[in-house]
Amino acid sequence: MKILICGAQGFLGRHISQVLQDTGHEVCHGVRKPKLPERLTDPEEIAINYAQDTEPAIWEKRLRSLGQVDVIINAVGILNETTELSFDAIHRDAPAALFYAAARCGVKSIVQISALGAANEAEHPEAMTGYMQSKRAADKALMASGLSYLILRPSLVVGIDGGSSQLFRSMASLPLLGLPGRGEQQLQPVHVDDLCAAIAIWLADANRHSMVLNAVGPQAMSYRRMLEIYRLAMGMPAQCMFSIPIPLMRMAASAARLLPQNLLTPDSLRMLEQDNVADATDFAAHLGRPAKSHKDWFPGVPANMLASSAIAAWSLPLFRYVLALVWFVTAAVSFGLYPISGSLALLQPLGLSGSLAMFMLMAASTLDLCLGLATLLWPRRILWLMQIALIIGYSSIIAIYSPEYYLHPFGPVLKNLPILALLAYLFAHQRDARRDTK
């Protein structure tokens, strides 16, 4: 069959595409920014602006240009809104327009990746977030389209390359972690392989009866327990966790909206607060087996590999921020926090005095400030090498002209050694963006 996957560059889209290609289907990839994913083989990519393509005519023209498309899989989704990307446009309006156009173009079936939502949403629909409301609106539009459909409503989706899994592994690898409330919010994670298998099984059925499936793992678990499972998978001892009162978390989520991040928002916190569980019987029956348990989340992946990538996710930015702070404080001290006369006296053994010494002091302070800014805004391998060379250079000068500082009880020069080690670590882990020469 010819299958169009919308959202093919995302975590779910990549896995679904690989499974369907392995099964022998012809797969077209609907993507926001056409760029050949390395793991896919000669995919046909179609540029789609999901935030703007909200009219059926746009989709009908696109579908007709592709020829006869048999199945469309909608795996498009965002967790947080921005000024350019809204839940209603991406989750509701664009899919509704797509479903209408699909019916007009003779598409046979639709797979809609929805979301499980809160366990009590039927009794309290007003508690649903904007994310869930837009997902449910798309589900209703599909049900009314007259097309044959599979609506999958997954809980948290687990996979080694999944964004949420990488985030939770990083959180679990921290030596100390705060939990919202007591961390007893209930989740029912499902592995991405089971989600893909459910789609492949449904597509293999020539009848393809319309159905809605809650795609959940075999057992519910608390947020705290999930983090403990991730930590065990990384071969780490028990983590020190402490509770953060929910009102304080809500205040932090509101304040975090002002920061350049999309992990902690009022909506994401509300979704975490609500239990996200369902009966696993129907999903297991569709698969013909129980879904994967947490023991099979990362089969064959060494614990040290999981741990190293998780630790690097937070240690690399932490090291950068600490290094930048060192440069900023050094600049501030040289600019005048430490008496200028004292700083100038330190330059006298080098034969610098008067206006030349002042110029060198201000130049060095400005360089420290620039290095601090570059460490935050322009992390590059060449930057780490420059800093290594600079530290070795002035340490050598001190060794020649002021060797007494190597024997100073506070060890002001010897402390350059851990900074050099930190820079070597940053250099080894830095992956500079490559220019496209094509």
Side-chain angles (χ1 to χ4, degrees), residues 12 16 113 152 154 157 190-200 215 283:
L12 295 180
I16 295 169
I113 308 297
L152 285 172
V157 182
V190 61
H191 197 278
V192 65
D193 290 350
D194 290 329
L195 201 68
C196 294
I199 294 173
F283 188 60

Side-chain angles (χ1 to χ4, degrees), residues 114-348:
S114 186
L116 183 59
N120 64 346
E121 70 177 46
E123 295 83 5
H124 302 282
E126 72 283 353
M128 286 199 300
T129 63
Y131 171 88
M132 285 308 310
Q133 290 174 7
S134 59
K135 282 288 189 179
R136 289 293 179 266
D139 295 351
K140 291 178 181 178
L142 178 55
M143 293 177 188
S145 67
L147 294 163
S148 138
Y149 60 80
L150 169 64
I151 297 176
L152 285 172
R153 292 177 173 171
S155 180
L156 189 67
V157 182
V158 176
I160 190 168
D161 58 329
S164 62
S165 292
Q166 292 170 348
L167 171 63
F168 291 130
R169 286 204 307 274
S170 297
M171 294 172 64
S173 69
L174 291 167
L176 181 67
L177 180 64
L179 299 176
R182 299 177 60 187
E184 297 302 325
Q185 300 86 356
Q186 295 293 301
L187 305 165
Q188 203 161 344
V190 61
H191 197 278
V192 65
D193 290 350
D194 290 329
L195 201 68
C196 294
I199 294 173
I201 290 170
W202 188 75
L203 292 178
D205 184 354
N207 295 320
R208 278 188 229 120
H209 298 295
S210 294
M211 60 193 308
V212 179
L213 274 179
N214 292 326
V216 293
Q219 59 184 151
M221 63 184 67
S222 69
Y223 179 62
R224 176 190 291 269
R225 175 57 180 159
M226 181 185 69
L227 293 173
E228 291 172 347
I229 288 170
Y230 276 115
R231 195 164 176 89
L232 287 172
M234 294 185 289
M236 293 181 171
Q239 185 180 40
C240 181
M241 299 181 182
F242 63 94
S243 296
I244 303 176
I246 290 295
L248 186 58
M249 285 292 301
R250 290 171 183 161
M251 291 174 59
S254 297
R257 289 183 298 183
L258 303 176
L259 302 176
Q261 59 85 42
N262 59 7
L263 297 177
L264 180 60
T265 67
D267 265 8
S268 64
L269 181 60
R270 281 177 61 196
M271 286 192 286
L272 180 61
E273 287 183 65
Q274 301 169 357
D275 290 344
N276 196 252
V277 298
D279 188 340
T281 304
D282 290 343
F283 188 60
H286 178 74
L287 292 175
R289 57 171 174 78
K292 289 185 177 183
S293 72
H294 64 83
K295 297 179 181 178
D296 300 316
W297 282 358
F298 309 113
V301 183
N304 61 344
M305 183 180 296
L306 291 173
S308 61
S309 62
I311 293 172
W314 58 263
S315 62
L316 287 172
L318 174 64
F319 291 162
R320 279 179 53 209
Y321 298 150
V322 169
L323 183 61
L325 180 62
V326 169
W327 289 119
F328 287 142
V329 171
T330 303
V333 167
S334 300
F335 273 129
L337 284 181
Y338 186 79
I340 295 292
S341 59
S343 296
L344 294 175
L346 295 174
L347 297 177
Q348 288 181 356

